[in-house]
Amino acid sequence: MRTVFNYRKALREPKKIQQLTENYSLPFAVELIPVINFFIFLGITFIVGYNIRRAFPHAFDNSWFIFLIGIPLLLTYLVTKIKIEGKNIYLYFVDVVKYFLSIKIPKKRFCNDKQVEWMNDTKILFKKCVKVVGKSNGKIKNANENNEREFIVNENGRRVGVLSYKEPVHTNAKQKSS
């Protein structure tokens, strides 16, 4: 009997850091990506808060530490928890930018996953519709009005007629009433 092992959980384990230097290590391991996110958000928050304090010097007098640490922690938590279409939020936004730059802005059109060039034409011309009839003894008859099941050649030379699996329809027949 075979045993199937699932290594997905082990291979998707995020990178963690614990050893900072040769002499110093943390008592617990910390995931690398949230730490990087926290420091990025900390920098952004510091720049925004610094500009606010330049305009309003007494802003955040009592809550500067909460503003500087709380907002990056909240943003880091949200970024790690939000999974749009099962993707990391950064990968999702990269894909959206790629879509807009390569497909939406150039206005490309696709059919069956292949790019269609001719849809850029502004005018599409259609041939005039032709009624499919045949002449029998000088009298015009429709191809589906009898049980002859013969092909009729229309004026363009195309063979048309009733398909064998369909019942013939008579144009003068009355509708069944239920």
Side-chain angles (χ1 to χ4, degrees):
M1 183 168 117
R2 282 194 218 184
T3 305
V4 178
F5 295 102
N6 187 359
Y7 295 106
R8 184 176 185 171
K9 187 175 180 183
L11 294 174
R12 288 190 172 203
E13 185 70 22
K15 291 178 177 59
K16 296 183 178 185
I17 52 173
Q18 187 170 6
Q19 187 80 28
L20 296 178
T21 63
E22 284 185 24
N23 299 327
Y24 185 72
S25 66
L26 296 173
F28 52 88
V30 180
E31 288 185 25
L32 182 62
I33 300 298
V35 169
I36 293 172
N37 286 339
F38 175 76
F39 282 116
I40 289 171
F41 291 138
L42 181 72
I44 293 170
T45 307
F46 179 77
I47 291 169
V48 169
Y50 180 73
N51 289 331
I52 290 173
R53 285 190 68 147
R54 283 180 58 198
F56 304 102
H58 298 292
F60 308 119
D61 277 342
N62 298 329
S63 61
W64 177 247
F65 182 75
I66 294 172
F67 176 78
L68 194 59
I69 302 298
I71 291 177
L73 278 175
L74 177 68
L75 291 174
T76 301
Y77 174 76
L78 289 176
V79 164
T80 56
K81 292 299 176 187
I82 294 174
K83 301 281 186 201
I84 302 172
E85 295 180 8
K87 293 181 181 180
N88 183 331
I89 194 165
Y90 298 123
L91 296 177
Y92 177 77
F93 283 125
V94 166
D95 286 346
V96 168
V97 169
K98 281 182 190 175
Y99 168 74
F100 273 102
L101 293 178
S102 64
I103 295 174
K104 190 70 173 177
I105 293 175
K107 295 182 180 178
K108 292 182 181 176
R109 291 177 175 83
F110 290 87
C111 178
N112 293 332
D113 293 334
K114 293 180 183 174
Q115 187 176 354
V116 180
E117 297 289 336
W118 56 268
M119 286 191 73
N120 295 330
D121 297 341
T122 55
K123 191 173 183 182
I124 298 174
L125 299 174
F126 294 98
K127 287 185 177 179
K128 186 178 177 185
C129 292
V130 178
K131 188 173 180 182
V132 180
V133 294
K135 291 186 178 182
S136 174
N137 299 331
K139 184 178 176 186
I140 297 176
K141 66 175 185 175
N142 286 334
N144 59 353
E145 284 187 351
N146 56 15
N147 286 329
E148 293 176 8
R149 307 277 186 218
E150 294 178 1
F151 286 107
I152 295 175
V153 178
N154 67 3
E155 57 203 37
N156 292 332
R158 182 175 172 187
R159 286 178 35 167
V160 293
V162 180
L163 297 175
S164 60
Y165 60 86
K166 298 224 178 188
E167 289 189 22
V169 178
H170 195 277
T171 54
N172 296 329
K174 293 184 180 178
Q175 235 179 354
K176 290 182 181 178
S177 59
S178 40

PDB file of all heavy atoms in Angstrom, residues 120-153:
ATOM      1  N   ASN A 120      -9.966  45.878 -34.177  1.00  0.00           N
ATOM      2  CA  ASN A 120      -9.711  47.309 -34.190  1.00  0.00           C
ATOM      3  C   ASN A 120     -10.325  47.986 -35.408  1.00  0.00           C
ATOM      4  O   ASN A 120     -10.353  49.211 -35.477  1.00  0.00           O
ATOM      5  CB  ASN A 120      -8.195  47.573 -34.148  1.00  0.00           C
ATOM      6  CG  ASN A 120      -7.604  47.089 -32.841  1.00  0.00           C
ATOM      7  OD1 ASN A 120      -8.268  47.073 -31.817  1.00  0.00           O
ATOM      8  ND2 ASN A 120      -6.351  46.689 -32.891  1.00  0.00           N
ATOM      9  N   ASP A 121     -10.790  47.204 -36.381  1.00  0.00           N
ATOM     10  CA  ASP A 121     -11.439  47.786 -37.549  1.00  0.00           C
ATOM     11  C   ASP A 121     -12.722  48.470 -37.114  1.00  0.00           C
ATOM     12  O   ASP A 121     -13.478  47.961 -36.292  1.00  0.00           O
ATOM     13  CB  ASP A 121     -11.758  46.712 -38.592  1.00  0.00           C
ATOM     14  CG  ASP A 121     -10.501  46.044 -39.133  1.00  0.00           C
ATOM     15  OD1 ASP A 121      -9.423  46.641 -38.979  1.00  0.00           O
ATOM     16  OD2 ASP A 121     -10.620  44.949 -39.700  1.00  0.00           O
ATOM     17  N   THR A 122     -12.988  49.619 -37.694  1.00  0.00           N
ATOM     18  CA  THR A 122     -14.152  50.382 -37.258  1.00  0.00           C
ATOM     19  C   THR A 122     -15.428  49.946 -37.964  1.00  0.00           C
ATOM     20  O   THR A 122     -16.506  50.079 -37.428  1.00  0.00           O
ATOM     21  CB  THR A 122     -13.925  51.879 -37.521  1.00  0.00           C
ATOM     22  OG1 THR A 122     -13.616  52.065 -38.891  1.00  0.00           O
ATOM     23  CG2 THR A 122     -12.799  52.396 -36.660  1.00  0.00           C
ATOM     24  N   LYS A 123     -15.321  49.410 -39.176  1.00  0.00           N
ATOM     25  CA  LYS A 123     -16.513  49.067 -39.937  1.00  0.00           C
ATOM     26  C   LYS A 123     -16.464  47.603 -40.335  1.00  0.00           C
ATOM     27  O   LYS A 123     -15.488  47.136 -40.912  1.00  0.00           O
ATOM     28  CB  LYS A 123     -16.590  49.950 -41.176  1.00  0.00           C
ATOM     29  CG  LYS A 123     -17.899  49.884 -41.896  1.00  0.00           C
ATOM     30  CD  LYS A 123     -17.944  50.915 -42.999  1.00  0.00           C
ATOM     31  CE  LYS A 123     -19.294  50.894 -43.687  1.00  0.00           C
ATOM     32  NZ  LYS A 123     -19.349  51.853 -44.777  1.00  0.00           N
ATOM     33  N   ILE A 124     -17.529  46.878 -40.033  1.00  0.00           N
ATOM     34  CA  ILE A 124     -17.637  45.474 -40.407  1.00  0.00           C
ATOM     35  C   ILE A 124     -18.784  45.352 -41.401  1.00  0.00           C
ATOM     36  O   ILE A 124     -19.888  45.827 -41.140  1.00  0.00           O
ATOM     37  CB  ILE A 124     -17.902  44.590 -39.170  1.00  0.00           C
ATOM     38  CG1 ILE A 124     -16.735  44.695 -38.195  1.00  0.00           C
ATOM     39  CG2 ILE A 124     -18.118  43.145 -39.583  1.00  0.00           C
ATOM     40  CD1 ILE A 124     -16.948  43.974 -36.889  1.00  0.00           C
ATOM     41  N   LEU A 125     -18.539  44.740 -42.540  1.00  0.00           N
ATOM     42  CA  LEU A 125     -19.557  44.590 -43.580  1.00  0.00           C
ATOM     43  C   LEU A 125     -20.080  43.164 -43.601  1.00  0.00           C
ATOM     44  O   LEU A 125     -19.309  42.211 -43.514  1.00  0.00           O
ATOM     45  CB  LEU A 125     -18.971  44.932 -44.948  1.00  0.00           C
ATOM     46  CG  LEU A 125     -18.439  46.356 -45.113  1.00  0.00           C
ATOM     47  CD1 LEU A 125     -17.766  46.496 -46.465  1.00  0.00           C
ATOM     48  CD2 LEU A 125     -19.572  47.349 -44.982  1.00  0.00           C
ATOM     49  N   PHE A 126     -21.400  43.030 -43.723  1.00  0.00           N
ATOM     50  CA  PHE A 126     -22.039  41.732 -43.829  1.00  0.00           C
ATOM     51  C   PHE A 126     -22.692  41.616 -45.199  1.00  0.00           C
ATOM     52  O   PHE A 126     -23.138  42.615 -45.777  1.00  0.00           O
ATOM     53  CB  PHE A 126     -23.116  41.561 -42.746  1.00  0.00           C
ATOM     54  CG  PHE A 126     -22.566  41.516 -41.360  1.00  0.00           C
ATOM     55  CD1 PHE A 126     -22.562  42.648 -40.558  1.00  0.00           C
ATOM     56  CD2 PHE A 126     -22.049  40.345 -40.843  1.00  0.00           C
ATOM     57  CE1 PHE A 126     -22.056  42.610 -39.281  1.00  0.00           C
ATOM     58  CE2 PHE A 126     -21.539  40.290 -39.567  1.00  0.00           C
ATOM     59  CZ  PHE A 126     -21.540  41.431 -38.783  1.00  0.00           C
ATOM     60  N   LYS A 127     -22.767  40.376 -45.708  1.00  0.00           N
ATOM     61  CA  LYS A 127     -23.472  40.157 -46.976  1.00  0.00           C
ATOM     62  C   LYS A 127     -24.967  40.227 -46.712  1.00  0.00           C
ATOM     63  O   LYS A 127     -25.436  39.963 -45.605  1.00  0.00           O
ATOM     64  CB  LYS A 127     -23.130  38.781 -47.537  1.00  0.00           C
ATOM     65  CG  LYS A 127     -21.744  38.675 -48.093  1.00  0.00           C
ATOM     66  CD  LYS A 127     -21.565  37.304 -48.720  1.00  0.00           C
ATOM     67  CE  LYS A 127     -20.216  37.151 -49.359  1.00  0.00           C
ATOM     68  NZ  LYS A 127     -20.038  35.829 -49.946  1.00  0.00           N
ATOM     69  N   LYS A 128     -25.697  40.536 -47.754  1.00  0.00           N
ATOM     70  CA  LYS A 128     -27.145  40.577 -47.653  1.00  0.00           C
ATOM     71  C   LYS A 128     -27.670  39.160 -47.446  1.00  0.00           C
ATOM     72  O   LYS A 128     -27.165  38.197 -48.034  1.00  0.00           O
ATOM     73  CB  LYS A 128     -27.719  41.166 -48.934  1.00  0.00           C
ATOM     74  CG  LYS A 128     -29.187  41.383 -48.890  1.00  0.00           C
ATOM     75  CD  LYS A 128     -29.670  42.014 -50.188  1.00  0.00           C
ATOM     76  CE  LYS A 128     -31.182  42.147 -50.140  1.00  0.00           C
ATOM     77  NZ  LYS A 128     -31.723  42.640 -51.391  1.00  0.00           N
ATOM     78  N   CYS A 129     -28.663  39.009 -46.593  1.00  0.00           N
ATOM     79  CA  CYS A 129     -29.227  37.688 -46.309  1.00  0.00           C
ATOM     80  C   CYS A 129     -29.943  37.150 -47.541  1.00  0.00           C
ATOM     81  O   CYS A 129     -30.585  37.893 -48.284  1.00  0.00           O
ATOM     82  CB  CYS A 129     -30.214  37.765 -45.147  1.00  0.00           C
ATOM     83  SG  CYS A 129     -29.422  38.140 -43.593  1.00  0.00           S
ATOM     84  N   VAL A 130     -29.847  35.859 -47.747  1.00  0.00           N
ATOM     85  CA  VAL A 130     -30.465  35.204 -48.895  1.00  0.00           C
ATOM     86  C   VAL A 130     -31.457  34.185 -48.375  1.00  0.00           C
ATOM     87  O   VAL A 130     -31.139  33.395 -47.492  1.00  0.00           O
ATOM     88  CB  VAL A 130     -29.386  34.504 -49.761  1.00  0.00           C
ATOM     89  CG1 VAL A 130     -30.028  33.793 -50.933  1.00  0.00           C
ATOM     90  CG2 VAL A 130     -28.373  35.510 -50.227  1.00  0.00           C
ATOM     91  N   LYS A 131     -32.672  34.192 -48.921  1.00  0.00           N
ATOM     92  CA  LYS A 131     -33.673  33.218 -48.521  1.00  0.00           C
ATOM     93  C   LYS A 131     -33.336  31.881 -49.182  1.00  0.00           C
ATOM     94  O   LYS A 131     -33.042  31.824 -50.367  1.00  0.00           O
ATOM     95  CB  LYS A 131     -35.054  33.677 -48.964  1.00  0.00           C
ATOM     96  CG  LYS A 131     -36.165  32.822 -48.438  1.00  0.00           C
ATOM     97  CD  LYS A 131     -37.507  33.423 -48.766  1.00  0.00           C
ATOM     98  CE  LYS A 131     -38.606  32.552 -48.216  1.00  0.00           C
ATOM     99  NZ  LYS A 131     -39.923  33.084 -48.553  1.00  0.00           N
ATOM    100  N   VAL A 132     -33.353  30.819 -48.383  1.00  0.00           N
ATOM    101  CA  VAL A 132     -32.980  29.501 -48.881  1.00  0.00           C
ATOM    102  C   VAL A 132     -34.235  28.816 -49.408  1.00  0.00           C
ATOM    103  O   VAL A 132     -35.083  28.382 -48.651  1.00  0.00           O
ATOM    104  CB  VAL A 132     -32.335  28.658 -47.764  1.00  0.00           C
ATOM    105  CG1 VAL A 132     -31.962  27.288 -48.283  1.00  0.00           C
ATOM    106  CG2 VAL A 132     -31.136  29.374 -47.209  1.00  0.00           C
ATOM    107  N   VAL A 133     -34.351  28.780 -50.729  1.00  0.00           N
ATOM    108  CA  VAL A 133     -35.505  28.147 -51.373  1.00  0.00           C
ATOM    109  C   VAL A 133     -35.017  27.414 -52.608  1.00  0.00           C
ATOM    110  O   VAL A 133     -33.901  27.602 -53.064  1.00  0.00           O
ATOM    111  CB  VAL A 133     -36.580  29.182 -51.791  1.00  0.00           C
ATOM    112  CG1 VAL A 133     -37.205  29.834 -50.583  1.00  0.00           C
ATOM    113  CG2 VAL A 133     -35.999  30.213 -52.716  1.00  0.00           C
ATOM    114  N   GLY A 134     -35.847  26.581 -53.129  1.00  0.00           N
ATOM    115  CA  GLY A 134     -35.526  25.883 -54.367  1.00  0.00           C
ATOM    116  C   GLY A 134     -36.737  25.898 -55.281  1.00  0.00           C
ATOM    117  O   GLY A 134     -37.857  26.114 -54.837  1.00  0.00           O
ATOM    118  N   LYS A 135     -36.530  25.668 -56.584  1.00  0.00           N
ATOM    119  CA  LYS A 135     -37.644  25.665 -57.518  1.00  0.00           C
ATOM    120  C   LYS A 135     -37.947  24.236 -57.923  1.00  0.00           C
ATOM    121  O   LYS A 135     -37.071  23.477 -58.285  1.00  0.00           O
ATOM    122  CB  LYS A 135     -37.300  26.487 -58.751  1.00  0.00           C
ATOM    123  CG  LYS A 135     -37.193  27.966 -58.461  1.00  0.00           C
ATOM    124  CD  LYS A 135     -36.992  28.752 -59.741  1.00  0.00           C
ATOM    125  CE  LYS A 135     -36.945  30.222 -59.416  1.00  0.00           C
ATOM    126  NZ  LYS A 135     -36.791  31.049 -60.585  1.00  0.00           N
ATOM    127  N   SER A 136     -39.207  23.871 -57.815  1.00  0.00           N
ATOM    128  CA  SER A 136     -39.644  22.556 -58.245  1.00  0.00           C
ATOM    129  C   SER A 136     -40.835  22.759 -59.187  1.00  0.00           C
ATOM    130  O   SER A 136     -41.869  23.276 -58.776  1.00  0.00           O
ATOM    131  CB  SER A 136     -40.070  21.734 -57.022  1.00  0.00           C
ATOM    132  OG  SER A 136     -40.623  20.519 -57.432  1.00  0.00           O
ATOM    133  N   ASN A 137     -40.668  22.377 -60.414  1.00  0.00           N
ATOM    134  CA  ASN A 137     -41.702  22.536 -61.432  1.00  0.00           C
ATOM    135  C   ASN A 137     -42.105  24.004 -61.576  1.00  0.00           C
ATOM    136  O   ASN A 137     -43.283  24.327 -61.708  1.00  0.00           O
ATOM    137  CB  ASN A 137     -42.941  21.691 -61.102  1.00  0.00           C
ATOM    138  CG  ASN A 137     -42.608  20.219 -61.047  1.00  0.00           C
ATOM    139  OD1 ASN A 137     -41.680  19.759 -61.726  1.00  0.00           O
ATOM    140  ND2 ASN A 137     -43.341  19.486 -60.235  1.00  0.00           N
ATOM    141  N   GLY A 138     -41.122  24.896 -61.466  1.00  0.00           N
ATOM    142  CA  GLY A 138     -41.408  26.316 -61.637  1.00  0.00           C
ATOM    143  C   GLY A 138     -42.012  26.953 -60.407  1.00  0.00           C
ATOM    144  O   GLY A 138     -42.308  28.131 -60.409  1.00  0.00           O
ATOM    145  N   LYS A 139     -42.250  26.155 -59.365  1.00  0.00           N
ATOM    146  CA  LYS A 139     -42.872  26.683 -58.152  1.00  0.00           C
ATOM    147  C   LYS A 139     -41.814  26.741 -57.060  1.00  0.00           C
ATOM    148  O   LYS A 139     -41.049  25.797 -56.877  1.00  0.00           O
ATOM    149  CB  LYS A 139     -44.018  25.759 -57.742  1.00  0.00           C
ATOM    150  CG  LYS A 139     -44.800  26.230 -56.573  1.00  0.00           C
ATOM    151  CD  LYS A 139     -45.936  25.259 -56.289  1.00  0.00           C
ATOM    152  CE  LYS A 139     -46.678  25.678 -55.057  1.00  0.00           C
ATOM    153  NZ  LYS A 139     -47.689  24.724 -54.663  1.00  0.00           N
ATOM    154  N   ILE A 140     -41.739  27.836 -56.348  1.00  0.00           N
ATOM    155  CA  ILE A 140     -40.762  27.996 -55.271  1.00  0.00           C
ATOM    156  C   ILE A 140     -41.276  27.295 -54.027  1.00  0.00           C
ATOM    157  O   ILE A 140     -42.429  27.456 -53.640  1.00  0.00           O
ATOM    158  CB  ILE A 140     -40.497  29.481 -54.973  1.00  0.00           C
ATOM    159  CG1 ILE A 140     -39.883  30.156 -56.196  1.00  0.00           C
ATOM    160  CG2 ILE A 140     -39.609  29.652 -53.764  1.00  0.00           C
ATOM    161  CD1 ILE A 140     -39.681  31.640 -56.037  1.00  0.00           C
ATOM    162  N   LYS A 141     -40.405  26.490 -53.421  1.00  0.00           N
ATOM    163  CA  LYS A 141     -40.796  25.823 -52.173  1.00  0.00           C
ATOM    164  C   LYS A 141     -39.652  25.958 -51.176  1.00  0.00           C
ATOM    165  O   LYS A 141     -38.490  26.097 -51.547  1.00  0.00           O
ATOM    166  CB  LYS A 141     -41.113  24.358 -52.409  1.00  0.00           C
ATOM    167  CG  LYS A 141     -39.912  23.546 -52.839  1.00  0.00           C
ATOM    168  CD  LYS A 141     -40.270  22.091 -52.929  1.00  0.00           C
ATOM    169  CE  LYS A 141     -38.993  21.307 -53.244  1.00  0.00           C
ATOM    170  NZ  LYS A 141     -39.197  19.900 -53.242  1.00  0.00           N
ATOM    171  N   ASN A 142     -39.974  25.955 -49.913  1.00  0.00           N
ATOM    172  CA  ASN A 142     -38.951  26.001 -48.868  1.00  0.00           C
ATOM    173  C   ASN A 142     -38.342  24.620 -48.703  1.00  0.00           C
ATOM    174  O   ASN A 142     -38.978  23.603 -48.955  1.00  0.00           O
ATOM    175  CB  ASN A 142     -39.551  26.461 -47.536  1.00  0.00           C
ATOM    176  CG  ASN A 142     -39.842  27.928 -47.527  1.00  0.00           C
ATOM    177  OD1 ASN A 142     -39.219  28.697 -48.252  1.00  0.00           O
ATOM    178  ND2 ASN A 142     -40.807  28.328 -46.717  1.00  0.00           N
ATOM    179  N   ALA A 143     -37.122  24.567 -48.221  1.00  0.00           N
ATOM    180  CA  ALA A 143     -36.402  23.308 -48.109  1.00  0.00           C
ATOM    181  C   ALA A 143     -36.959  22.420 -47.004  1.00  0.00           C
ATOM    182  O   ALA A 143     -36.745  21.220 -47.007  1.00  0.00           O
ATOM    183  CB  ALA A 143     -34.932  23.569 -47.843  1.00  0.00           C
ATOM    184  N   ASN A 144     -37.675  22.979 -46.054  1.00  0.00           N
ATOM    185  CA  ASN A 144     -38.117  22.171 -44.913  1.00  0.00           C
ATOM    186  C   ASN A 144     -39.613  21.899 -44.921  1.00  0.00           C
ATOM    187  O   ASN A 144     -40.181  21.546 -43.912  1.00  0.00           O
ATOM    188  CB  ASN A 144     -37.728  22.865 -43.608  1.00  0.00           C
ATOM    189  CG  ASN A 144     -38.348  24.244 -43.498  1.00  0.00           C
ATOM    190  OD1 ASN A 144     -38.957  24.723 -44.446  1.00  0.00           O
ATOM    191  ND2 ASN A 144     -38.180  24.861 -42.360  1.00  0.00           N
ATOM    192  N   GLU A 145     -40.287  22.038 -46.063  1.00  0.00           N
ATOM    193  CA  GLU A 145     -41.728  21.886 -46.064  1.00  0.00           C
ATOM    194  C   GLU A 145     -42.210  20.490 -46.421  1.00  0.00           C
ATOM    195  O   GLU A 145     -43.380  20.227 -46.357  1.00  0.00           O
ATOM    196  CB  GLU A 145     -42.346  22.882 -47.054  1.00  0.00           C
ATOM    197  CG  GLU A 145     -42.366  24.283 -46.529  1.00  0.00           C
ATOM    198  CD  GLU A 145     -43.122  25.219 -47.450  1.00  0.00           C
ATOM    199  OE1 GLU A 145     -43.485  24.821 -48.568  1.00  0.00           O
ATOM    200  OE2 GLU A 145     -43.350  26.351 -47.035  1.00  0.00           O
ATOM    201  N   ASN A 146     -41.339  19.603 -46.820  1.00  0.00           N
ATOM    202  CA  ASN A 146     -41.821  18.284 -47.197  1.00  0.00           C
ATOM    203  C   ASN A 146     -40.872  17.224 -46.673  1.00  0.00           C
ATOM    204  O   ASN A 146     -39.869  17.512 -46.040  1.00  0.00           O
ATOM    205  CB  ASN A 146     -41.980  18.194 -48.714  1.00  0.00           C
ATOM    206  CG  ASN A 146     -40.689  18.541 -49.422  1.00  0.00           C
ATOM    207  OD1 ASN A 146     -39.634  18.575 -48.804  1.00  0.00           O
ATOM    208  ND2 ASN A 146     -40.799  18.807 -50.712  1.00  0.00           N
ATOM    209  N   ASN A 147     -41.193  15.960 -46.959  1.00  0.00           N
ATOM    210  CA  ASN A 147     -40.398  14.848 -46.470  1.00  0.00           C
ATOM    211  C   ASN A 147     -39.388  14.355 -47.500  1.00  0.00           C
ATOM    212  O   ASN A 147     -38.883  13.261 -47.382  1.00  0.00           O
ATOM    213  CB  ASN A 147     -41.320  13.683 -46.064  1.00  0.00           C
ATOM    214  CG  ASN A 147     -42.024  13.989 -44.777  1.00  0.00           C
ATOM    215  OD1 ASN A 147     -41.482  14.691 -43.932  1.00  0.00           O
ATOM    216  ND2 ASN A 147     -43.238  13.481 -44.618  1.00  0.00           N
ATOM    217  N   GLU A 148     -39.094  15.110 -48.519  1.00  0.00           N
ATOM    218  CA  GLU A 148     -38.187  14.643 -49.552  1.00  0.00           C
ATOM    219  C   GLU A 148     -36.755  14.559 -49.049  1.00  0.00           C
ATOM    220  O   GLU A 148     -35.973  13.762 -49.524  1.00  0.00           O
ATOM    221  CB  GLU A 148     -38.234  15.593 -50.766  1.00  0.00           C
ATOM    222  CG  GLU A 148     -39.550  15.553 -51.484  1.00  0.00           C
ATOM    223  CD  GLU A 148     -39.596  16.569 -52.606  1.00  0.00           C
ATOM    224  OE1 GLU A 148     -38.550  17.186 -52.908  1.00  0.00           O
ATOM    225  OE2 GLU A 148     -40.670  16.756 -53.174  1.00  0.00           O
ATOM    226  N   ARG A 149     -36.394  15.386 -48.105  1.00  0.00           N
ATOM    227  CA  ARG A 149     -35.054  15.419 -47.527  1.00  0.00           C
ATOM    228  C   ARG A 149     -33.980  15.594 -48.598  1.00  0.00           C
ATOM    229  O   ARG A 149     -32.944  14.984 -48.558  1.00  0.00           O
ATOM    230  CB  ARG A 149     -34.754  14.164 -46.717  1.00  0.00           C
ATOM    231  CG  ARG A 149     -35.757  13.836 -45.673  1.00  0.00           C
ATOM    232  CD  ARG A 149     -35.469  14.636 -44.441  1.00  0.00           C
ATOM    233  NE  ARG A 149     -36.387  14.195 -43.382  1.00  0.00           N
ATOM    234  CZ  ARG A 149     -36.928  14.999 -42.521  1.00  0.00           C
ATOM    235  NH1 ARG A 149     -36.648  16.267 -42.554  1.00  0.00           N
ATOM    236  NH2 ARG A 149     -37.735  14.559 -41.609  1.00  0.00           N
ATOM    237  N   GLU A 150     -34.287  16.405 -49.570  1.00  0.00           N
ATOM    238  CA  GLU A 150     -33.328  16.648 -50.627  1.00  0.00           C
ATOM    239  C   GLU A 150     -32.609  17.958 -50.353  1.00  0.00           C
ATOM    240  O   GLU A 150     -33.171  18.886 -49.800  1.00  0.00           O
ATOM    241  CB  GLU A 150     -34.049  16.750 -51.985  1.00  0.00           C
ATOM    242  CG  GLU A 150     -34.679  15.467 -52.430  1.00  0.00           C
ATOM    243  CD  GLU A 150     -35.406  15.646 -53.746  1.00  0.00           C
ATOM    244  OE1 GLU A 150     -35.382  16.766 -54.294  1.00  0.00           O
ATOM    245  OE2 GLU A 150     -35.985  14.668 -54.214  1.00  0.00           O
ATOM    246  N   PHE A 151     -31.360  18.003 -50.803  1.00  0.00           N
ATOM    247  CA  PHE A 151     -30.623  19.238 -50.689  1.00  0.00           C
ATOM    248  C   PHE A 151     -31.087  20.192 -51.772  1.00  0.00           C
ATOM    249  O   PHE A 151     -31.428  19.793 -52.874  1.00  0.00           O
ATOM    250  CB  PHE A 151     -29.123  18.997 -50.841  1.00  0.00           C
ATOM    251  CG  PHE A 151     -28.517  18.358 -49.630  1.00  0.00           C
ATOM    252  CD1 PHE A 151     -28.123  17.040 -49.639  1.00  0.00           C
ATOM    253  CD2 PHE A 151     -28.339  19.090 -48.460  1.00  0.00           C
ATOM    254  CE1 PHE A 151     -27.559  16.453 -48.541  1.00  0.00           C
ATOM    255  CE2 PHE A 151     -27.779  18.503 -47.351  1.00  0.00           C
ATOM    256  CZ  PHE A 151     -27.386  17.190 -47.384  1.00  0.00           C
ATOM    257  N   ILE A 152     -31.073  21.434 -51.439  1.00  0.00           N
ATOM    258  CA  ILE A 152     -31.415  22.466 -52.409  1.00  0.00           C
ATOM    259  C   ILE A 152     -30.179  23.330 -52.578  1.00  0.00           C
ATOM    260  O   ILE A 152     -29.491  23.641 -51.612  1.00  0.00           O
ATOM    261  CB  ILE A 152     -32.611  23.305 -51.911  1.00  0.00           C
ATOM    262  CG1 ILE A 152     -33.847  22.415 -51.835  1.00  0.00           C
ATOM    263  CG2 ILE A 152     -32.844  24.495 -52.810  1.00  0.00           C
ATOM    264  CD1 ILE A 152     -35.039  23.093 -51.250  1.00  0.00           C
ATOM    265  N   VAL A 153     -29.889  23.719 -53.783  1.00  0.00           N
ATOM    266  CA  VAL A 153     -28.746  24.577 -54.044  1.00  0.00           C
ATOM    267  C   VAL A 153     -29.254  26.001 -54.150  1.00  0.00           C
ATOM    268  O   VAL A 153     -30.129  26.288 -54.958  1.00  0.00           O
ATOM    269  CB  VAL A 153     -28.033  24.145 -55.348  1.00  0.00           C
ATOM    270  CG1 VAL A 153     -26.874  25.078 -55.648  1.00  0.00           C
ATOM    271  CG2 VAL A 153     -27.575  22.703 -55.248  1.00  0.00           C
TER     272      VAL A 153
END
